[in-house]
Amino acid sequence: MKTMRYEHAHLPTLSQEQRAELAVLAALPDDAIDCNDIPVLSDVAWANAVQGRFYKAIKKPLTVRLDADVLAWLKSQGKGYQTRMNSILREAMQKDVRKS
């Protein structure tokens, strides 16, 4: 198997025809896309799957005031307390979004 990596600036230029085709596809609702030719993946195929591997969220610096005991609890679990705090907040956000 050969792996190719492209830098965004070095991607091939799309023709007008390709751009038009992509615009038509992008306008389709999800339920109008025929996925019958896509094979179902087994549990073995999903065993090494990594969520968010190609997604990198934009981080924003900010100042937050936390209760001292909350901060102590986050820090007591070792390095990465800000990442843990972000994960806790993301989980709460996703639960809230799913409810809506």
Side-chain angles (χ1 to χ4, degrees), residues 16-82:
Q16 289 295 347
E17 183 179 313
Q18 290 170 321
R19 288 176 189 266
E21 185 177 351
L22 287 173
V24 169
L25 291 171
L28 284 175
D30 288 347
D31 60 353
I33 300 171
D34 180 12
C35 300
N36 290 327
D37 60 340
I38 301 173
V40 177
L41 295 177
S42 67
D43 290 340
V44 174
W46 285 106
N48 294 320
V50 179
Q51 185 177 1
R53 183 175 176 190
F54 301 106
Y55 171 74
K56 183 165 172 101
I58 297 170
K59 303 290 185 183
K60 296 278 194 170
L62 79 149
T63 301
V64 177
R65 298 179 63 83
L66 300 174
D67 293 340
D69 58 337
V70 172
L71 182 59
W73 172 75
L74 284 166
K75 287 184 170 184
S76 72
Q77 297 172 42
K79 288 182 74 171
Y81 76 94
Q82 290 175 324

